[in-house]
Amino acid sequence: MGDFGSCDSRRRDLPATRDMDRESALAYWFSPGHEVFVAEDNGEIAGTYFLQANQRGGGAHVANCGYMTAPRARGRGVARAMCAHSLEHARQRGFRAMQFNFVVSSNEHAVRLWQKFGFEIVGRLPKAFEQPTAGFVDAYVMYRQL
């Protein structure tokens, strides 16, 4: 893993603000508490993720991550590699579980991938995300023990 580069923040199924400028996006991604990693492919940024505690205090043993894959790297196993790395790194840091708080249901590739890694949908937020072409869609809370 190496240096941070730009990834596609305009994805239609990401819960991030669609009109966020580069400076604001970097400030969010590198905010205090986020441990940031990147995936490189032949010296180019292919994806990035951050790892953090999902909650403070009594919930601090549960990890949380946010992932982005560069558009040119989609379908090449980058998200799979980042998920595997994040689960292992979370275990090494002493986390006992991982939770994704807001997985957009129309992002079917991500939902299937997280399920392949043992995440279960433990909650459904009806019509919680406004997807530009599909309208209001559900978001999932996904969870797994480490």
Side-chain angles (χ1 to χ4, degrees):
M1 303 255 168
D3 299 322
F4 180 78
S6 63
C7 288
D8 187 3
S9 62
R10 296 164 295 166
R11 281 278 318 268
R12 294 173 185 232
D13 295 323
L14 291 178
T17 303
R18 292 183 188 106
D19 59 354
M20 187 181 294
D21 64 33
R22 179 179 171 79
E23 183 176 309
S24 297
L26 289 171
Y28 168 72
W29 206 255
F30 286 101
S31 59
H34 285 187
E35 186 176 5
V36 177
F37 299 87
V38 297
E40 292 182 333
D41 183 25
N42 294 320
E44 293 187 18
I45 302 299
T48 181
Y49 78 88
F50 66 79
L51 175 71
Q52 67 178 351
N54 192 51
Q55 299 292 322
R56 297 182 190 149
H61 63 283
V62 178
N64 172 262
C65 289
Y67 305 85
M68 282 194 293
T69 301
R72 64 172 170 60
R74 288 205 186 100
R76 294 177 34 210
V78 174
R80 176 179 300 283
M82 290 191 300
C83 186
H85 185 270
S86 67
L87 290 168
E88 181 56 34
H89 191 69
R91 275 189 209 94
Q92 291 172 1
R93 285 203 36 207
F95 287 107
R96 299 179 54 122
M98 188 174 288
Q99 178 175 319
F100 300 147
N101 300 318
F102 201 91
V103 180
V104 178
S105 62
S106 59
N107 189 350
E108 296 171 358
H109 294 291
V111 172
R112 278 194 307 271
L113 179 60
W114 305 152
Q115 287 174 326
K116 286 179 184 175
F117 274 97
F119 285 87
E120 295 181 44
I121 296 171
V122 297
R124 179 184 304 265
L125 309 170
K127 311 267 186 236
F129 182 77
E130 186 176 6
Q131 207 275 350
T133 56
F136 290 97
V137 299
D138 296 349
Y140 302 135
V141 177
M142 298 184 77
Y143 186 86
R144 71 157 279 179
Q145 296 288 324
L146 295 180

